[in-house]
Amino acid sequence: MSTIAAISTAPGIGGIGIIRISGENTYNVLEKIFKPKQEIDFEQVKGYSIKYGHIIEEQKIIDEVLVSFFKAPNSYTTEDLCEISSHGGTYVVGKILELCLKNGAELAEPGEFTKRAFLNGRIDLSQAEAVIDVINAKTEKESKASINQLEGNLSTEIRETRDLLMSVMVEAEVSIDYPEYDIEEITNKKTINILEQVLVKLEKLMNSFETGKIVKDGIKVALIGKPNAGKSSLLNAILKEERAIVTDIEGTTRDIIEESISVRGIPICIIDTAGIRNTNEKVEQIGIERSRKSAEEADLIIAIFDGGDNLTNEDYDIINIIKNRKCIAVLNKIDIKINEELKNKIKKQLPNINIIEISAKENIGIENIYKEIENLFKLNEIKLDNETIISNVRHKTIISNAIELTRRTIEITNQNLPIDMIAIHIKEILEEIGKITGETVSDEIIKEIFSKFCLGK
Ligand code: GDP
C-alpha cells in the first residue's frame, strides 16, 4: 500500500497541529523533511519514541516539532507510522503536509488511516465505525457506548453467534460426509436448539437499538402550543439564557429554533415551533406546517397551555395532535391565577397524561418536566457498563435480516429437510452477520462507511 499523509488535527488555529504519515516509506519521507536535534538512524528508531527537531525546506527552518515514531505492526494502521506535532498555525501544518506530499507521500482520503487499520486486520468494521462515533460523541453516555463498541463488545457478540452457527455447520458436514449413519434426526434437534440460542442473542441486540438510538441521537422534543402560551419563554427557561425571541405579538416565532440540552447524559433536542393555528397569512402557514411536521418527527411532544386562558379551538387542535403520542402537557403561567376549568377540561381530554404546572417566566416547576422526560424514557435504567448496545442503523438492518433468516431456518429444520439444505440457509445467516464485522461486506459499503470519516483519521 502507498504511503499516505494528512493533517489529523481540526482545521484552524490551535496549540499544536498533527500531521500523520503512514505506509512503507514513512521514514524515507520523514528523513527528507525532518532534522532531529540529535542525529538518528530513522530505520533504527524504536517504536513509541519521540524525537525533537526541525522541519526543514532547503536549509530553511519551517517549524520546531516533536515526531512520534510507531513501528509496524504496532501502530494505528499496523504500518510504519509517524505523527509530526508542530505548532498549530494553519500555514505551518499546511506547509508540513505539502512537504510530505512533495517528498513521496500521497494525500490520504477521509478515514484512510482507520480503513487501513481495518484492511490490515487490526480492527473489524464495527470497531472502525465506532471510531467515528467516539469522535462525534456529544455526551458521556454516547461516548461510553461507542468506546464499548470500539473495544470489541459487538464484535464479541457477533463472534459468539458465528461460533454457534459454525458448530451446526460442522455437524452438517459430518452428516453429509457419513450419510450411512442415520444421524439426521438428532442433528436437526440439536440444530434447532442452537438456532434458538442464536435467535435469543440476535433479538437481544435488536432490542438494544431503542436505547442505542436514544444514547446516540438523543430525544427529539417538539415544543408546541398556541401563540402566547409561553413556548419561547419555556425554551428560554430551559436553556437558561435568552436565545429565543420572546415577544407579545402573536406568531413571531416563525422559524423553528432547535437547541440541545443534556438530561441524565442524554441529549435532548428541543424544537420550538410557530403556534399551531388556522391562518391565511402565508408565512404563518409555512410555520404551521412545520409545526405539525416537527410534532410528527419528534420522539416527545411538550404541549404548552396558557393556564390563565380558556381552552380554545387552537388548544383542541393541539390536543388532537398529542393524543396517542408520547407527550407531556404543561400548564403555564401558574404565577398568575390558574383557570381551574381549563385544567379540568385538559385532564378530561388527556386522562393518561400527567399535567405539569409551571411558570416559564418565573422559572417555577421546570425541573418537573425533566423528571417526566426521565420517567417516560426510563433514562435511569440506561446502564452501559456491560451491555452491548447497537446504535447504528446499518447494524440494526443486518440484525433484523439475520433474525428473519434464523426464523426461516428454524422453520425448515422443523420440517426435517435434509441437513445439506439446512446448511445452505445457515450459511446465509453467517453471511448476513459477517457484514457487521466486515468479513462479507461489499467494497462499495466499505467505501461508503469510510467516506463519512474526517480527513486525517
Ligand atoms: P409563545 O408565543 O408561545 O412563544 O409565547 P411567549 O413565550 O412569547 O410568551 C407570550 C407572553 O406570555 C409573553 O408576554 C411572556 O412574557 C408571557 N409569559 C410566558 N410565560 C409566562 C409565565 O409563566 N407567567 C406569566 N405571567 N407570563 C408568561
Side-chain angles (χ1 to χ4, degrees), residues 224-361:
I224 66 170
K226 69 181 173 195
N228 275 339
K231 296 177 298 297
S232 310
S233 307
L234 176 59
L235 185 67
N236 281 344
I238 288 174
L239 298 173
K240 292 193 187 78
E241 52 183 289
E242 302 283 318
R243 227 176 288 179
I245 315 147
V246 189
T247 137
D248 285 336
I249 309 156
E250 286 196 355
T252 41
T253 324
R254 276 171 181 161
D255 278 315
I256 291 175
I257 302 167
E258 273 196 39
E259 294 287 353
S260 275
I261 55 160
S262 162
V263 174
R264 291 228 173 240
I266 301 294
I268 309 277
C269 177
I270 304 169
I271 319 154
D272 176 25
T273 58
I276 294 181
R277 62 187 185 135
N278 295 318
T279 165
N280 291 324
E281 207 217 317
K282 216 172 161 213
V283 185
E284 275 296 343
Q285 236 157 15
I286 298 167
I288 292 156
E289 272 160 33
R290 281 197 204 161
S291 295
R292 288 189 189 277
K293 201 151 184 278
S294 67
E296 269 167 31
E297 283 169 12
D299 305 306
L300 170 72
I301 304 170
I302 297 181
I304 178 160
F305 299 94
D306 185 336
D309 203 355
N310 290 315
L311 210 57
T312 59
N313 286 341
E314 292 153 308
D315 289 320
Y316 279 109
D317 280 349
I318 286 157
I319 287 172
N320 279 332
I321 289 180
I322 62 177
K323 264 185 185 165
N324 307 318
R325 293 286 312 267
K326 213 171 222 169
C327 86
I328 301 175
V330 171
L331 205 58
N332 188 31
K333 310 194 186 180
I334 55 161
D335 54 309
I336 51 175
K337 95 173 167 14
I338 285 277
N339 178 351
E340 287 298 322
E341 200 188 332
L342 167 99
K343 194 170 145 185
N344 291 334
K345 277 185 184 163
I346 298 174
K347 262 192 190 151
K348 211 167 150 197
Q349 289 289 324
L350 303 166
N352 302 318
I353 290 167
N354 277 342
I355 298 174
I356 295 172
E357 297 181 17
I358 65 154
S359 166
K361 201 172 170 186

Side-chain angles (χ1 to χ4, degrees), residues 8 23 62 99 118 136 151 161 182 186 229 243-244 246 254 262 267 314 347 359 361 363 365 386 389 417:
S8 283
I62 301 296
L99 288 176
F118 162 63
N136 290 337
E151 289 294 304
T161 311
D182 193 14
I186 314 163
R243 227 176 288 179
V246 189
R254 276 171 181 161
S262 162
E314 292 153 308
K347 262 192 190 151
S359 166
K361 201 172 170 186
N363 220 334
N386 290 311
I389 286 175
L417 286 184

Side-chain angles (χ1 to χ4, degrees), residues 52-260:
Y52 165 77
H54 293 98
I55 296 292
I56 303 280
E57 185 190 31
E58 293 165 6
Q59 321 289 339
K60 263 196 349 253
I61 293 179
I62 301 296
D63 197 13
E64 186 185 24
V65 297
L66 289 172
V67 179
S68 310
F69 287 71
F70 302 86
K71 293 287 174 128
N74 300 315
S75 76
Y76 187 73
T77 55
T78 78
E79 303 166 339
D80 278 345
L81 183 149
C82 76
E83 287 178 0
I84 304 170
S85 303
S86 68
H87 290 107
T90 322
Y91 170 76
V92 171
V93 284
K95 182 73 194 170
I96 298 173
L97 175 64
E98 185 192 310
L99 288 176
C100 294
L101 303 182
K102 256 192 201 160
N103 287 285
E106 286 172 21
L107 184 62
E109 285 172 17
E112 198 170 355
F113 293 96
T114 311
K115 188 177 180 179
R116 288 188 175 197
F118 162 63
L119 292 176
N120 294 332
R122 189 178 67 77
I123 53 174
D124 69 28
L125 197 55
S126 74
Q127 289 172 302
E129 287 172 300
V131 172
I132 324 181
D133 293 342
V134 172
I135 292 174
N136 290 337
K138 292 175 291 301
T139 64
E140 188 185 341
K141 278 208 165 70
E142 191 182 351
S143 154
K144 177 86 181 110
S146 317
I147 289 282
N148 283 352
Q149 191 177 317
L150 181 60
E151 289 294 304
N153 274 17
L154 179 58
S155 320
T156 308
E157 289 286 337
I158 297 299
R159 205 177 320 117
E160 284 171 10
T161 311
R162 190 190 55 198
D163 289 349
L164 280 171
L165 292 164
M166 285 307 287
S167 69
V168 180
M169 291 299 278
V170 171
E171 295 270 342
E173 252 141 52
V174 173
S175 180
I176 293 162
D177 289 345
Y178 303 98
E180 63 274 25
Y181 299 110
D182 193 14
I183 50 176
E184 217 148 76
E185 207 169 308
I186 314 163
T187 312
N188 280 3
K189 251 191 199 158
K190 230 178 175 175
T191 304
I192 287 174
N193 181 293
I194 291 174
L195 286 173
E196 272 165 0
Q197 290 178 48
V198 167
L199 201 57
V200 168
K201 274 183 162 297
L202 292 174
E203 279 173 345
K204 196 169 163 219
L205 283 178
M206 189 70 185
N207 292 337
S208 74
F209 183 72
E210 208 176 318
T211 308
K213 194 176 169 294
I214 289 180
V215 168
K216 188 174 180 182
D217 301 332
I219 299 167
K220 208 165 188 175
V221 177
L223 201 56
I224 66 170
K226 69 181 173 195
N228 275 339
K231 296 177 298 297
S232 310
S233 307
L234 176 59
L235 185 67
N236 281 344
I238 288 174
L239 298 173
K240 292 193 187 78
E241 52 183 289
E242 302 283 318
R243 227 176 288 179
I245 315 147
V246 189
T247 137
D248 285 336
I249 309 156
E250 286 196 355
T252 41
T253 324
R254 276 171 181 161
D255 278 315
I256 291 175
I257 302 167
E258 273 196 39
E259 294 287 353
S260 275

